[in-house]
Amino acid sequence: MTKKERAAFVINTLKELYPQIPVPLDHKDPYTLLIAVLLSAQCTDVRVNQITPLLFAKADNPYDMVKLSIEEIKEIIRPCGLSPMKSKGIHGLSEILIAKHNGQVPQSFEELEALPAVGHKTASVVMSQAFNVPAFPVDTHIHRLMYRWDLSNGKNVVQTEKDAKAIFPKELWNDLHLQIIWYGREYSPARGWDLEKDIITRAIGRKKVLDEYYKKTSR
């Protein structure tokens, strides 16, 4: 298959598997999504969804969040990991939203990435999921699968995002990045990978990846 044909196969297969696409992180508005995405760094979405109700019960908007101390936020979010950095980021960005954005989450990549603890991936998730602006946030699943499917060279997430945006139609980015995440979790994980279950990689996977898999499983 050519790269274009592989991309089309991915699109069509994911449409069949995920006609309805759930959003991994529970939220009710752009602010709660922003906080949830920030908490998800090096933490599972399942754990984040367990912790955010506790945090949002006390503060689900920047005005209430700044009433909490950084230490109070840190204690609530501790199970998500990196709590010292994340708590400072949550408190700091809430102050900036009040001071510069009338308490609203800005709708631009530049302004989002200027907020404390908000990187390009977090900004991309918020832009796509909260504001429906085309973006292609790359997490570990997408990075892994773009390489397995021979659609990217796997050097780094910056290159993977560039390759994804070049090969997939812009109007599909917001759906595709979520579909690939769900597919990676269910069919093509990093650990416990079963190629028989992974229908996309089995059909179009990079030869080097397939050879390594069969070599490993034949021992």
Side-chain angles (χ1 to χ4, degrees):
M1 287 187 188
T2 65
K3 181 177 285 190
K4 186 175 182 180
E5 289 170 337
R6 291 196 300 276
F9 182 82
V10 168
I11 292 169
N12 293 332
T13 304
L14 292 177
K15 278 183 179 179
E16 291 179 9
L17 291 174
Y18 305 104
Q20 302 295 323
I21 312 167
V23 175
L25 293 169
D26 296 338
H27 65 283
K28 67 175 184 176
D29 56 24
Y31 179 77
T32 53
L33 175 62
L34 174 61
I35 300 304
V37 179
L38 188 155
L39 289 175
S40 71
Q42 297 187 36
C43 181
T44 66
D45 292 345
V46 172
R47 177 61 59 86
V48 172
N49 288 338
Q50 292 170 343
I51 298 304
T52 48
L54 305 177
L55 178 63
F56 296 153
K58 292 182 176 291
D60 62 358
N61 61 81
Y63 296 97
D64 288 334
M65 193 66 75
V66 297
K67 295 176 184 177
L68 300 177
S69 67
I70 292 175
E71 190 63 32
E72 287 175 307
I73 298 171
K74 184 169 71 174
E75 285 303 309
I76 296 171
I77 68 172
R78 189 180 299 278
C80 292
L82 304 177
S83 58
M85 179 196 73
K86 291 177 180 178
S87 58
K88 290 178 183 177
I90 291 170
H91 197 276
L93 72 82
S94 298
E95 291 180 323
I96 292 173
L97 292 181
I98 294 170
K100 294 186 177 182
H101 303 287
N102 296 315
Q104 301 298 309
V105 176
Q107 299 186 34
S108 78
F109 287 96
E110 183 179 62
E111 290 175 310
L112 281 168
E113 291 179 36
L115 297 172
V118 177
H120 179 66
K121 178 196 166 188
T122 297
S124 295
V125 173
V126 172
M127 291 296 287
S128 64
Q129 296 178 15
F131 302 125
N132 201 33
V133 173
F136 212 106
V138 173
D139 74 343
T140 56
H141 299 289
I142 293 174
H143 186 55
R144 178 176 69 254
L145 294 185
M146 287 288 291
Y147 177 76
R148 283 184 177 175
W149 297 339
D150 203 9
L151 296 174
S152 185
N153 60 26
K155 287 184 177 180
N156 53 62
V157 295
V158 174
Q159 185 62 48
T160 298
E161 179 180 345
K162 182 178 178 181
D163 292 337
K165 287 180 173 179
I167 192 65
F168 294 124
K170 190 173 185 178
E171 64 272 17
L172 299 181
W173 290 355
N174 289 354
D175 284 347
L176 270 173
H177 92 266
L178 287 172
Q179 289 169 321
I180 295 173
I181 288 171
W182 286 115
Y183 184 89
R185 292 176 179 178
E186 296 185 52
Y187 294 92
S188 191
R191 297 180 180 179
W193 179 30
D194 181 357
L195 189 59
E196 293 305 308
K197 184 179 179 181
D198 186 352
I199 55 177
I200 295 179
T201 308
R202 194 169 72 246
I204 67 169
R206 187 185 296 264
K207 183 178 184 302
K208 179 180 178 181
V209 170
L210 298 179
D211 288 346
E212 288 176 352
Y213 175 87
Y214 288 122
K215 182 178 180 181
K216 183 177 180 180
T217 55
S218 65
R219 293 173 184 171

